[in-house]
Amino acid sequence: MYKVDSKDKVNELTEFPQSSVGAPIPLIIASESKVSVAFYLNDIPEDWDGSEIKMVDSDSVEPVAIVTFDWCYAHYSGSPNDEAFSGHPLASRGLGPYGSYEILNSSWIRTLESMNSVHPYHDKKRFMENARHFVLSFHDSTFECIARDYTIHIEKGSIKDMIPKMTKLIL
């Protein structure tokens, strides 16, 4: 993971659909320049009284979001989960579980630019032009990437059903 400094600022992305807080079961498919992340959405029936739980798995048919990140320079998936989220270096700045965020003035972007600065034709202004740092935090994991932009598609089906659609979106 990157080291955060005082410049990083967390901005919540309210246009993203809410992932399931129980079992989003995120699936990631990547090419060299695009990454697609599919996850179950929070789908609570209006008549739900809280007395029963609904178990889902990768075969369950539910509302699903597919977020495709274009011109993805780097991506990471793993810790922390929701129970250890306070250990994330940006948690004290508003990053939380079950959310979607953009990190402004990202240390990760600046670190990648610094790594690339050894290239003989490196141009600080052109390197990672329009690069943005995104974070999707789920129940059991966190996804982060550096990309230029994203698109969101809402589907209905199983996470497994999304594999061909995701593959088409990244190729």
Side-chain angles (χ1 to χ4, degrees), residues 8-20:
D8 295 76
K9 182 180 176 193
V10 175
N11 181 41
E12 187 171 9
L13 297 172
T14 57
E15 67 272 18
F16 273 66
Q18 177 61 58
S19 66
S20 168

Side-chain angles (χ1 to χ4, degrees), residues 28-49:
I28 302 163
I29 297 180
S31 66
E32 191 171 32
S33 63
K34 290 186 179 188
V35 176
S36 247
V37 182
F39 52 90
Y40 286 129
L41 297 176
N42 216 30
D43 186 34
I44 301 171
E46 288 183 29
D47 60 346
W48 184 64
D49 65 4

